[in-house]
Amino acid sequence: EDQVTQSPEALRLQEGESSSLNCSYTVSGLRGLFWYRQDPGKGPEFLFTLYSAGEEKEKERLKATLTKKESFLHITAPKPEDSATYLCAVNSGAGSYQLTFGKGTKLSVIP
Amino acid sequence: EPEVTQTPSHQVTQMGQEVILRCVPISNHLYFYWYRQILGQKVEFLVSFYNNEISEKSEIFDDQFSVERPDGSNFTLKIRSTKLEDSAMYFCASSEGKGLMYSNQPQHFGDGTRLSIL
């Protein structure tokens, strides 16, 4: 059974204070690791897909990296508008389409 | 930018009643999904749908649940006889299905329907 664990559960940062969120996973055969952003009362908004260890993706102040056991979402010089819950999800197994999600990290960026 | 739309945004129903949640996936997408998120818990997979049939379902998706694509644009989730524990946010998602790498395509989510069972 696939498992995804995210840490920390919550993170408060001052505006401009860089940090990283962690996603540890256990899967039978990774076919994709996905990062999403979720604002209160909204659906998950797609950010990145990572397919293999060593891969990196960037978008504005966010950078996602992947190893064989975990992924990191690095946030550089965050702004208050980056405040949200960040979700990590994995897809594994040939022919399987379901995503297994972690509980998320709630990020608060204080001005 | 194309998006997944869901209606209604909030549905209040008496226990034991049938409810239908509606979704319009992104127009060129071929795979459709339903997930749910109970307050304070993880997003959980319910079912995936491709080529007018269920391709995968979770243990949550029992005989009380069904999905349908009644026309070329809508995708629905029906709960036949609702229970208190069905109260949750229900998300519809869709993804492209071109080529061999179907399962790696990112799924794009709607903003959900909050289902409250009284």
Side-chain angles (χ1 to χ4, degrees):
Chain A
E1 182 180 326
D2 298 347
Q3 292 191 351
V4 179
T5 303
Q6 291 189 246
S7 62
E9 290 185 10
L11 181 64
R12 280 172 66 94
L13 298 174
Q14 291 292 324
E15 185 172 1
E17 179 187 1
S18 301
S19 188
S20 297
L21 314 182
N22 177 263
C23 170
S24 298
Y25 63 90
T26 304
V27 298
S28 55
L30 185 70
R31 293 177 68 81
L33 184 141
F34 303 84
W35 281 98
Y36 287 87
R37 169 190 171 127
Q38 186 174 29
D39 292 301
K42 299 289 188 180
E45 176 189 348
F46 170 70
L47 294 172
F48 304 111
T49 308
L50 301 166
Y51 297 115
S52 56
E55 190 174 2
E56 299 182 353
K57 294 272 180 74
E58 280 189 74
K59 180 180 179 180
E60 296 181 358
R61 295 177 292 281
L62 301 176
K63 179 180 176 180
T65 61
L66 182 65
T67 73
K68 289 187 178 179
K69 293 184 178 180
E70 57 191 354
S71 176
F72 292 93
L73 185 65
H74 306 278
I75 303 176
T76 302
K79 298 182 178 181
E81 53 261 43
D82 295 321
S83 297
T85 296
Y86 290 86
L87 303 176
C88 172
V90 297
N91 170 240
S92 69
S96 174
Y97 307 92
Q98 66 175 291
L99 295 180
T100 300
F101 281 84
K103 288 194 74 173
T105 293
K106 184 176 181 180
L107 174 67
S108 301
V109 181
I110 312 303
Chain B
E1 185 174 326
E3 59 181 24
V4 176
T5 56
Q6 291 187 241
T7 55
S9 57
H10 191 191
Q11 175 81 46
V12 181
T13 302
Q14 291 288 332
M15 186 173 58
Q17 295 296 306
E18 175 184 286
V19 66
I20 297 175
L21 309 183
R22 291 182 166 80
C23 169
V24 178
I26 295 173
S27 61
N28 65 334
H29 285 187
L30 301 179
Y31 283 80
F32 314 116
Y33 313 85
W34 284 101
Y35 290 80
R36 77 173 187 189
Q37 186 175 30
I38 295 171
L39 190 63
Q41 297 188 22
K42 297 182 181 184
V43 177
E44 301 174 289
F45 171 78
L46 294 178
V47 66
S48 61
F49 191 86
Y50 170 71
N51 199 26
N52 280 320
E53 62 182 27
I54 291 174
S55 50
E56 193 175 12
K57 62 183 180 180
S58 71
E59 292 178 354
I60 303 168
F61 194 88
D62 61 22
D63 292 344
Q64 293 300 312
F65 291 87
S66 62
V67 290
E68 190 179 30
R69 187 153 165 83
D71 54 44
S73 60
N74 291 286
F75 180 52
T76 62
L77 174 69
K78 181 194 289 186
I79 309 175
R80 259 179 277 280
S81 178
T82 50
K83 308 181 184 73
L84 292 176
E85 54 263 37
D86 293 328
S87 294
M89 183 75 94
Y90 287 80
F91 294 109
C92 174
S94 67
S95 65
E96 297 182 44
K98 301 173 185 176
L100 298 177
M101 305 291 277
Y102 302 149
S103 60
N104 301 85
Q105 300 296 323
Q107 297 176 23
H108 297 270
F109 287 75
D111 281 339
T113 293
R114 179 171 299 283
L115 179 63
S116 300
I117 309 299
L118 304 178

